[in-house]
Amino acid sequence: MPTTLESVVRERLAERDILLMTHIVLGYPSFEASLEIVDAMVEAGVDLIELQIPFSEPIADGPVILHANQKALAAGSTVERCFEAAHSLSDRHRIPLLFMTYYNIALQHGLEAFAKDTAAAGLRGAIVPDLPFEEGEELLDALAAHALDPIFIFSPNTSDARMRAIAERARGFVYCVARKGVTGAETDFAALDAYLQRCRAATSLPLALGFGVKSATDVAAIRGKVDIAIVGSETIRRIDEQGVDSVGPFLRGLR
Amino acid sequence: MPESRGYYGRFGGLYIPEILVATFDELIRAFEDAKADPSFWAEYEALMSTYSCRPTPITFAGNLTEDLGGARIYVKREDLNHTGAHKANNVMGQGLLVKRMGKRRVIAETGAGQHGVATATMAAKLGFECTIYMGEIDVERQRPNVFWMERLGATVVPVTEGSRTLKDAINEAFRDWVTNMDSTHYALGTACGPHPFPEMVSWFQSIIGTEAREQIQQIAGRLPDRVYACVGGGSNALGIFSGFLEDEGVELVGVEAGGHGAGSGRHAVRLSYDDASVGVAQGYKTWFLQDRDGQMQHTHSVAAGLDYVGVSPILADLHEKGRVRFEAATDTEVIDALARTVRREGLIPALESAHAFVQAFKEAPSMSPDQVILINQSGRGDKDIFTVADAFDDPKWKAFIREKARAYDA
Ligand SMILES: Cc1ncc(COP(=O)(O)O)c(C=O)c1O
């Protein structure tokens, strides 16, 4: 396997014109089910997966993922079990897996221990949506020491200068939030061009676009504009409504 | 990019999703501009002296002083503010800032409902649209405040996620804000959250301490020996303490919500029990009631306004520096102190404020009669009539409610 997350992404991009990154909440609806969901995602050809360690105060997440966080915690999802689950998933699957969680989870685990255990679990990096780079030096150093990539976020109201400052610290790819708001609402993909041009100008890393990607039409609309389509809330919504078995067919139908 | 990220010692900061960074930059700029503009504070004082009841008086509690037989007890009357609590100070200040920023809509979280009513009032007066997020449990226990918010034209959204109290209302307000930041200002109600909120809210509330320092010297002839305030997020405490921070001889005492007491797991004490640890949530770093994994825990207090997992980073720092002493008052102590204050002084403190009275009553007897105690009565207790009547198990009140219900059913 190539050494960096970025090179894995680029290698995959040589084979297909848009990659797919999906998201799950560890322990939702149960640990067993979340492992099955990941298996189904990999089988459906997904290229990267975010594994969210649930947090009681997920301020950047919309209602669907918020609810999944709370259900997972109520069902007994602990950070320790999340690490165990991540470990067994990376043993089973070769695609890059990333942690997504809020800063307090890493902080309480110990930033160095968090990075060490994340690497030991076979993950490639972490997305921490409530940690601006100005507050993140210690975690960034710890991640770097364990060859893990921090995934940073651009948003439509991030200034050009700030995008460049973020790009200096970003590794792997950049997560471009498609619009204002939280995860899981509607997005007008046609209006994105100017924003995505700014993102491209700020970084040479691959770009991933998320927030509101939920159909083959959405993926078609951003094909050729970004490198990775991120599907988050929609998978959880499907699982809630139609069960784990609906994941494979849904994802296969996206591109 | 802001020069300061609002650190007080190792507490505070600005831990926000990228989508909000530009909004916070704008808010910080607007706040810095307002602070540097003397006409802004003048406009604020003028508004507070005509629309609210500023300066609020200090009352000598002669009967309690006599009963307790120690220090002379004085009460700063924030309950006499329009809408009945110190919350109005912060809200009217932020309202003027919203006008400066040219926004048209305000949102807020509320626990007791006091901050929600104050925000809805401000919105009605200044002509803003208003949405209030309130935990479902608090909606149930503070119905009179919900009634007034709606009459004032606000939309009250009950929050059904999480523990369904104040912290969850804050999360929902943030979710609204990340969607509507162009038109909307989030008027956070206490000295918590990401920078600049702790500093900004404390700045507006400092009007309490500035007045109190001058008044107490006039009335009591000296500075107080001790100043007591209840601590939810910390805004009324920082408001009154700010007047005395430089006066080394003045001991500052913050009183937290002891709920069912130490070791019960049913309280909201971050600083004076051993149950909290330092973490980052809701955009800032402070002491939180959380488990080992970093998940926020359920809190409890008879006073909805103190029922919160975190505490102002400014107070966390003053605690660490030893400048403010922290104590806790339990639910039963609070009800007793409230009953006593009503009966002996004809003052009706809010359940939140009664926490400060508890600690003052504990300490006054061992102080000498030439010493002076100042208690911040952050709000009035009328809003708590349902909770207090239940605590007193008042038979006539129950009969009245039953009668009312029968009349509605008829
Ligand atoms: C009357 C009153 N006092 C105190 C508080 C606690 O807030 P803070 O600690 O910010 O003053 C509240 C909060 O709702 C309140 O309504």
Side-chain angles (χ1 to χ4, degrees):
Chain A
M1 184 152 72
T3 47
T4 69
L5 177 59
E6 184 185 349
S7 55
V8 180
V9 170
R10 295 222 180 274
E11 203 164 273
R12 288 233 165 198
L13 279 170
E15 289 158 25
R16 41 178 68 150
D17 54 5
I18 191 159
L19 306 190
L20 211 52
M21 179 162 89
T22 52
H23 165 276
I24 67 149
V25 175
L26 287 166
Y28 180 80
S30 68
F31 268 98
E32 233 167 69
S34 52
L35 299 194
E36 278 171 34
I37 295 165
V38 172
D39 291 346
M41 287 172 166
V42 175
E43 209 167 297
V46 161
D47 305 281
L48 308 109
I49 304 178
E50 292 176 64
L51 308 175
Q52 181 165 4
I53 305 177
F55 180 47
S56 57
E57 321 299 316
I59 52 169
D61 284 300
V64 173
I65 297 179
L66 162 70
H67 190 71
N69 272 258
Q70 265 147 7
K71 276 284 149 68
L73 290 174
S77 178
T78 61
V79 173
E80 193 183 341
R81 289 189 72 186
C82 290
F83 273 110
E84 284 166 16
H87 210 296
S88 73
L89 287 170
S90 69
D91 278 348
R92 285 220 287 277
H93 302 300
R94 298 187 53 82
I95 66 164
L97 303 175
L98 304 163
F99 267 146
M100 184 280 196
T101 197
Y102 288 81
Y103 184 52
N104 200 43
I105 297 295
L107 191 64
Q108 300 311 317
H109 196 76
L111 298 179
E112 165 56 26
F114 181 80
K116 181 164 162 255
D117 294 347
T118 300
L123 271 60
R124 306 298 300 248
I127 306 172
V128 186
D130 64 340
L131 189 68
F133 69 83
E134 293 95 332
E135 307 282 1
E137 205 174 312
E138 223 182 316
L139 181 60
L140 292 182
D141 288 347
L143 291 175
H146 292 278
L148 293 166
D149 287 330
I151 307 305
F152 275 94
I153 296 172
F154 285 169
S155 82
N157 55 13
T158 306
S159 68
D160 291 346
R162 188 173 169 82
M163 279 188 182
R164 284 193 299 274
I166 292 170
E168 274 175 35
R169 281 115 178 149
R171 299 286 178 273
F173 60 90
V174 174
Y175 189 133
C176 305
V177 169
R179 54 160 169 75
K180 290 175 227 163
V182 288
T183 49
E186 297 291 332
T187 298
D188 178 6
F189 292 102
L192 284 171
D193 287 1
Y195 165 50
L196 290 175
Q197 275 163 20
R198 293 203 302 120
C199 298
R200 285 280 184 217
T203 181
S204 59
L205 288 173
L207 297 183
L209 186 74
F211 278 42
V213 181
K214 58 177 88 163
S215 67
T217 318
D218 295 344
V219 174
I222 60 176
R223 198 187 288 267
K225 296 180 183 173
V226 297
D227 306 297
I228 306 170
I230 305 170
V231 181
S233 303
E234 187 60 19
T235 329
I236 296 183
R237 202 181 342 252
R238 298 234 167 204
I239 293 164
D240 288 347
E241 282 167 14
Q242 300 166 32
V244 175
D245 290 342
S246 67
V247 173
F250 165 61
L251 292 174
R252 264 189 286 271
L254 283 180
R255 56 174 179 187
Chain B
M1 221 190 293
E3 276 173 26
S4 161
R5 298 188 65 85
Y7 272 95
Y8 306 89
R10 61 190 173 117
F11 306 104
L14 186 47
Y15 296 82
I16 49 170
E18 181 58 32
I19 191 87
L20 276 175
V21 167
T23 305
F24 272 84
D25 285 353
E26 180 196 10
L27 179 60
I28 290 166
R29 265 195 309 276
F31 172 53
E32 294 298 334
D33 275 2
K35 256 198 321 188
D37 175 359
S39 76
F40 181 79
W41 190 264
E43 185 187 3
Y44 172 60
E45 280 190 335
L47 178 64
M48 294 312 284
S49 66
T50 52
Y51 189 60
S52 190
C53 196
R54 302 224 73 94
T56 60
I58 282 181
T59 302
F60 175 54
N63 299 330
L64 287 168
T65 297
E66 198 173 307
D67 294 352
L68 292 162
R72 280 178 288 150
I73 299 172
Y74 295 84
V75 180
K76 175 67 170 164
R77 301 291 306 283
E78 288 305 299
D79 59 309
L80 294 178
N81 269 297
H82 181 40
T83 72
H86 71 292
K87 299 284 173 188
N89 304 331
N90 168 41
V91 156
M92 296 314 297
Q94 289 199 44
L96 293 179
L97 202 62
V98 173
K99 271 198 351 196
R100 263 175 103 97
M101 291 190 291
K103 297 194 172 183
R104 301 176 312 277
R105 177 174 176 262
V106 290
I107 56 173
E109 85 294 345
T110 193
Q114 223 49 29
H115 176 58
V117 170
T119 304
T121 302
M122 174 269 277
K125 166 132 181 95
L126 300 181
F128 304 134
E129 263 182 77
C130 180
T131 299
I132 304 294
Y133 292 92
M134 187 170 189
E136 196 177 37
I137 291 180
D138 293 328
V139 170
E140 279 158 26
R141 61 181 166 179
Q142 298 286 345
R143 174 53 58 183
N145 278 338
V146 175
F147 171 84
W148 281 121
M149 284 183 258
E150 290 178 343
R151 296 282 81 68
L152 286 158
T155 305
V156 179
V157 181
V159 177
T160 56
E161 296 291 346
S163 60
R164 295 174 288 144
T165 58
L166 186 56
K167 76 172 177 63
D168 309 285
I170 292 176
N171 291 338
E172 279 311 304
F174 271 113
R175 288 195 183 92
D176 180 318
W177 209 18
V178 299
T179 313
N180 302 304
M181 69 272 247
D182 292 342
S183 66
T184 300
H185 173 69
Y186 175 16
L188 215 150
T190 188
C192 288
H195 176 66
F197 283 110
E199 182 190 346
M200 184 167 73
V201 175
S202 303
W203 187 58
F204 289 127
Q205 294 294 2
S206 72
I207 197 165
I208 306 173
T210 306
E211 287 172 9
R213 189 174 189 282
E214 202 177 306
Q215 290 167 319
I216 194 77
Q217 291 182 91
Q218 263 170 26
I219 298 168
R222 54 177 293 176
L223 286 172
D225 293 274
R226 294 180 198 172
V227 179
Y228 296 86
C230 67
V231 179
S235 68
N236 87 90
L238 281 162
I240 194 156
F241 292 169
S242 67
F244 305 97
L245 276 176
E246 312 297 321
D247 301 309
E248 274 174 36
V250 179
E251 191 177 9
L252 306 173
V253 185
V255 187
E256 299 178 273
H260 295 195
S264 68
R266 284 181 57 72
H267 61 74
V269 177
R270 293 76 28 117
L271 296 171
S272 50
Y273 294 167
D274 289 333
D275 295 342
S277 51
V278 176
V280 172
Q282 306 203 305
Y284 69 112
K285 183 185 268 187
T286 192
W287 292 89
F288 284 103
L289 288 162
Q290 57 182 333
D291 69 14
R292 281 188 45 213
D293 275 358
Q295 312 297 353
M296 297 301 129
Q297 294 187 306
H298 289 264
T299 53
H300 163 81
S301 170
V302 69
L306 305 185
D307 203 347
Y308 179 56
V309 286
V311 65
S312 174
I314 306 177
L315 283 177
D317 182 48
L318 291 169
H319 166 71
E320 196 148 280
K321 292 194 170 116
R323 182 64 188 95
V324 179
R325 168 160 63 92
F326 286 86
E327 305 287 350
T330 64
D331 288 353
T332 40
E333 290 173 329
V334 164
I335 296 290
D336 288 349
L338 173 62
R340 182 173 198 168
T341 308
V342 173
R343 188 70 191 81
R344 293 298 289 145
E345 295 292 346
L347 295 178
I348 311 178
L351 282 165
E352 289 81 6
S353 321
H355 286 70
F357 285 75
V358 168
Q359 195 59 32
F361 293 172
K362 284 183 193 167
E363 298 181 12
S366 59
M367 295 170 71
S368 79
D370 57 334
Q371 288 188 298
V372 168
I373 274 178
L374 178 62
I375 304 171
N376 197 28
Q377 182 167 335
S378 56
R380 63 168 191 239
D382 315 37
K383 71 177 172 66
D384 299 319
I385 190 162
F386 287 86
T387 314
V388 175
D390 281 352
F392 290 157
D393 203 20
D394 187 301
K396 288 177 193 158
W397 175 261
K398 284 193 215 167
F400 162 71
I401 295 290
R402 283 199 193 95
E403 197 44 53
K404 222 35 205 158
R406 258 196 298 278
Y408 284 136
D409 285 342

